[in-house]
């Protein structure tokens, strides 16, 4: 596949003495723990086998040429033009990364690059984090910038926060960079402690089902949820005064502590619900990883269902198509758990399915989902995969 891309690269940019280097970053799926990362909580994602390949070559001039096999466009930008947003194109992800290097005082030299991705867009599988991380990793390697991987993760998150304008947490960029084959990561988003947990091979499949629902206003709704949870934390801090001043993140508050202080939210029931989702979801990740370690896949699946209900009812980030897929999954024998994954508002569900039931699950879901919503679903059986890397052929 990469040799065909190499040919396309040369067709676009011509030959030169400089080597063309090839990098790859995966997408990710979050198995459980959504909307906890920006509240300092636990998440449990893994990198997937689909992702973005990036071919890049230094040009030693001050122009930046960016193209993708997925879209008909080559952006040819001078240094000044790299500081402005490029419409609402995918190019903003690499531009955001370049701006962060510039902010760090690095004077990037010219390059030409070609991206090719097979992560479905806007499906909650972090195609954008994948582009950011592959770009940061490639520029770091090409220009010997000497960043370690965690610094590239943080830089990519800042690109999304500051240039793209989504106040996301660190989960996506971290998972895309740090993935390991056949493992998922229990990541504490406050301390960045990360445990790679082996996923039991053999009996189960992780099946993603894409609603193919058009996501609308997801960025503004996402940022609104970030604000609501900050408000919940501020209200708790103010009401508790000195007593519990050590709270710096909502995920430090336990489910029972929140319940004890419920009266604080009497006039703000929605803020209370948001906080209840975040604190309970953090606990569910903890419980789910413990269940996995005890090889109790049934318990893991039940926690996935509970997570979906909480995201739907308390966090209000689900949608009719997502709910339809989860309801269908619950009724199919051999499915242990299902939930929306990622930010929500459309995108994919993640399903834990007995391998012997996977084909039936796909066929039955496809038909019933179409009847229910008029949409047709796509299915991907994924394998937890390694994170960002250079590909040497
Ligand atoms: C998006 C964000 C992540 C995370 C998830 C929800 O994917 O980029 O930081 O908040 O939503 O868990």
């Amino acid at each position: 596949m990469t040799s065909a891309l190499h040919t396309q690269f040369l067709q676009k940019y011509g030959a030169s003495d400089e080597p063309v280097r090839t990098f790859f970053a995966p997408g990710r799926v979050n198995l459980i723990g959504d909307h906890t990362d920006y509240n300092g909580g636990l998440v449990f994602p893994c990198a997937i086998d689909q992702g973005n390949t990036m071919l890049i070559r230094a040009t030693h001039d001050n122009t930046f040429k960016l193209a993708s096999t997925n879209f008909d466009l080559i952006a040819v930008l001078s240094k000044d033009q790299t500081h402005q947003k490029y419409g609402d194109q995918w190019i903003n992800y690499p531009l955001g990364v370049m701006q962060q290097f510039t902010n760090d005082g690095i004077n990037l030299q010219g390059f030409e690059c070609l991206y090719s991705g097979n992560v479905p867009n806007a499906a909650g599988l972090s195609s954008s984090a994948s582009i950011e991380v592959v770009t940061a990793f490639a520029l770091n390697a090409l220009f010997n910038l000497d960043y370690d991987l965690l610094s590239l993760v943080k830089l990519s998150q800042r690109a999304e926060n500051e240039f793209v304008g989504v106040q996301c947490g660190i989960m996506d960029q971290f998972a895309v960079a740090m993935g390991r084959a056949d493992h998922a990561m229990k990541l504490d988003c406050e301390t960045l402690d990360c445990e790679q947990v082996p996923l039991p091979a053999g009996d189960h499949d992780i099946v993603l089902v894409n609603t193919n629902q058009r996501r609308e206003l997801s960025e503004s709704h996402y940022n609104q949820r970030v604000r609501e949870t900050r408000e919940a934390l501020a209200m708790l801090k103010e009401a508790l005064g000195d007593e519990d001043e050590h709270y710096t993140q909502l995920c430090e508050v336990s489910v029972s502590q929140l319940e004890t202080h419920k009266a604080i939210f009497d006039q703000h029931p929605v803020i209370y619900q948001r906080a209840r989702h975040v604190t309970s979801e953090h606990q569910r990740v903890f419980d789910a990883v413990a269940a996995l370690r005890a090889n109790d896949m049934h318990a893991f699946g039940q926690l996935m269902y509970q997570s979906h209900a909480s995201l739907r009812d308390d966090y209000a980030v689900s949608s009719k198509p997502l709910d339809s897929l989860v309801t269908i999954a619950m009724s199919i024998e051999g499915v242990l758990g299902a939930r929306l994954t990622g930010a929500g508002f459309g995108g994919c569900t993640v399903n834990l399915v007995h391998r012997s039931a996977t084909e039936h699950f796909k066929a039955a879901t496809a038909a019933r989902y179409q009847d229910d919503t008029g949409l047709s679903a796509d299915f991907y059986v994924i394998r937890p995969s390694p994170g960002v890397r250079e590909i040497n052929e």
Side-chain angles (χ1 to χ4, degrees), residues 232-254:
L233 178 63
M235 288 171 71
L236 276 163
K237 276 176 147 177
E238 192 185 313
L240 301 181
D242 287 344
E243 183 193 337
D244 276 295
E245 239 178 3
H246 57 277
Y247 290 151
T248 55
Q249 298 277 10
L250 196 48
C251 285
E252 288 165 20
V253 182
S254 70

Side-chain angles (χ1 to χ4, degrees), residues 28 34-35 37-38 168-169 171-172 222 342-343:
R28 68 95 189 92
D34 273 310
H35 294 278
D37 64 348
Y38 52 85
C168 68
M171 169 171 71
D172 300 348
Y222 183 92

Side-chain angles (χ1 to χ4, degrees), residues 349-369:
T349 60
V350 54
N351 302 263
L352 185 64
V353 185
H354 268 297
R355 187 154 297 164
S356 58
T358 297
E359 286 313 309
H360 169 67
F361 167 72
K362 290 203 262 183
T365 303
R368 287 178 51 190
Y369 180 66

Side-chain angles (χ1 to χ4, degrees), residues 47-366:
I48 61 177
D49 30 12
Q50 292 155 314
N52 284 287
T53 305
M54 178 185 187
L55 282 71
I56 185 164
R57 182 169 72 187
T59 54
H60 304 288
D61 60 15
N62 277 325
T63 50
F64 302 89
K65 298 185 194 128
L66 300 108
S68 162
T69 60
N70 303 77
F71 303 94
D72 273 343
L73 169 98
I74 296 194
V76 181
L77 305 173
S78 67
K79 188 147 261 176
D80 286 349
Q81 290 169 313
T82 63
H83 305 313
Q84 308 141 24
K85 270 202 167 177
Y86 198 92
D88 58 4
Q89 297 276 349
W90 63 273
I91 288 185
N92 287 316
Y93 302 118
L95 290 185
V97 167
M98 290 162 65
Q99 186 192 53
Q100 289 303 323
F101 281 124
T102 307
N103 289 351
D104 284 355
I106 287 159
N107 181 19
L108 287 176
Q109 301 296 303
F111 61 82
E112 43 206 7
C113 66
L114 176 66
Y115 293 85
S116 184
N118 61 357
V119 187
N121 259 339
L125 302 179
S126 290
S127 54
S128 53
S130 169
I131 296 177
E132 287 155 0
V133 169
V134 78
T135 306
F137 191 87
L139 294 178
N140 183 53
L142 190 69
F143 298 123
N144 298 313
L145 300 179
D146 233 7
Y147 283 71
D148 60 28
L149 193 51
L150 186 58
S151 305
L152 294 174
V153 165
K154 291 179 179 169
L155 180 144
S156 301
Q157 184 199 7
R158 288 199 301 277
E160 180 92 27
N161 293 164
E162 292 171 20
F163 195 81
V164 181
V166 180
Q167 299 310 312
C168 68
I170 201 163
M171 169 171 71
D172 300 348
Q173 290 79 9
F174 193 99
V176 158
M178 307 286 185
R180 187 188 291 179
D182 301 322
H183 288 68
M185 287 154 255
K186 180 186 177 194
L187 172 66
D188 179 324
C189 296
E190 171 68 0
T191 60
L192 298 185
D193 282 347
C194 174
E195 289 169 55
Q196 296 278 358
V197 183
L199 292 173
D203 293 347
H204 303 94
D205 280 329
I206 299 169
V207 187
L208 308 184
V209 188
N210 192 343
T211 57
N212 284 319
Q213 173 193 11
R214 222 182 111 76
R215 289 204 299 186
E216 269 157 14
L217 294 176
S218 56
E219 289 180 8
S220 59
H221 284 144
Y222 183 92
N223 287 346
Q224 186 190 344
R225 293 295 177 279
V226 175
R227 282 196 300 277
E228 287 166 344
T229 51
R230 288 195 182 135
E231 203 176 320
L233 178 63
M235 288 171 71
L236 276 163
K237 276 176 147 177
E238 192 185 313
L240 301 181
D242 287 344
E243 183 193 337
D244 276 295
E245 239 178 3
H246 57 277
Y247 290 151
T248 55
Q249 298 277 10
L250 196 48
C251 285
E252 288 165 20
V253 182
S254 70
V255 175
S256 62
Q257 280 166 324
L258 183 70
E259 186 62 31
T260 309
H261 300 302
K262 192 172 176 187
I264 297 169
F265 299 97
D266 271 356
Q267 305 302 314
H268 304 274
V270 170
I271 301 296
Y272 176 71
Q273 284 181 292
R274 304 297 190 246
R276 186 166 58 185
H277 166 71
V278 169
T279 54
S280 64
E281 185 79 350
H282 174 71
Q283 182 64 40
R284 276 187 289 274
V285 179
F286 194 83
D287 296 343
V289 175
L292 192 65
R293 289 204 158 110
N295 210 12
D296 187 348
M297 302 309 276
H298 174 77
F300 191 96
Q302 290 300 309
L303 288 158
M304 291 173 80
Y305 285 132
Q306 288 165 24
S307 166
H308 184 79
S310 177
L311 288 159
R312 179 191 62 210
D313 301 335
D314 275 349
Y315 221 62
V317 293
S318 191
S319 66
K320 270 204 150 117
L322 285 165
D323 292 343
S324 164
L325 284 176
V326 172
T327 307
I328 293 168
M330 280 177 140
S331 72
I332 296 178
E333 199 160 335
V335 179
L336 288 99
R339 58 187 288 279
L340 73 85
T341 182
F345 315 106
C348 287
T349 60
V350 54
N351 302 263
L352 185 64
V353 185
H354 268 297
R355 187 154 297 164
S356 58
T358 297
E359 286 313 309
H360 169 67
F361 167 72
K362 290 203 262 183
T365 303

